[in-house]
Amino acid sequence: MRIGELSERTGASRRLLRYYEEQGLIAAGRCANGYRAYDGTTVDRVLQIRGLLDAGLPTRIIKQILPCLSKPRTIHFEDATPEMIATLEEELAGMSARIACLTRNRDAIAEYLAVVRVDR
């Protein structure tokens, strides 16, 4: 499939897909006319990348764990190095801190809205 179809199927812009390719996160073959050609598995790979980015992982970490992914949301990491485990633990702690902050902010906004709605 060409980049336009991949973009439509994943919701990722063409520019973003080219960025993923530059970062080594996805690979494309080339047609005779020079157009990028992706196989069907790239759709799942892009969805994995987007999910990991949404979770707060930087592309440098994603690039390291992508070879261990076989299906969306399933990670097989049998030969993790101590450095990779430490990096993932740091990312997990950062995510947990962001979640706690978001939860506090959500609760504060909900409380404010409850008061405002009662006063109306």
Side-chain angles (χ1 to χ4, degrees):
M1 88 185 71
R2 295 208 339 228
I3 195 167
E5 182 181 352
L6 182 60
S7 175
E8 288 176 16
R9 292 178 64 182
T10 61
S13 70
R14 293 172 188 205
R15 182 176 178 197
L16 188 57
L17 293 171
R18 286 189 287 273
Y19 173 75
Y20 291 167
E21 190 176 341
E22 288 171 11
Q23 296 300 308
L25 302 175
I26 61 174
R30 294 289 177 164
C31 298
N33 59 7
Y35 290 167
R36 289 172 171 83
Y38 300 94
D39 65 27
T41 61
T42 309
V43 171
D44 284 340
R45 181 54 47 113
V46 170
L47 295 175
Q48 288 172 331
I49 293 166
R50 293 189 65 170
L52 292 167
L53 286 168
D54 288 346
L57 288 175
T59 56
R60 67 180 171 76
I61 301 295
I62 293 171
K63 185 175 180 178
Q64 292 176 325
I65 65 172
L66 268 179
C68 305
L69 300 174
S70 62
K71 294 188 249 179
R73 298 172 193 79
T74 302
I75 299 176
H76 301 281
F77 211 44
E78 298 164 359
D79 56 347
T81 64
E83 294 82 16
M84 177 53 68
I85 291 170
T87 299
L88 291 174
E89 286 173 343
E90 289 173 20
E91 290 297 327
L92 180 61
M95 285 180 198
S96 295
R98 288 190 300 276
I99 289 168
C101 180
L102 285 170
T103 300
R104 285 190 307 273
N105 290 335
R106 182 205 58 208
D107 293 347
I109 290 170
E111 202 173 306
Y112 174 77
L113 280 172
V115 169
V116 169
R117 287 180 179 144
V118 169
D119 290 343
R120 288 187 150 217

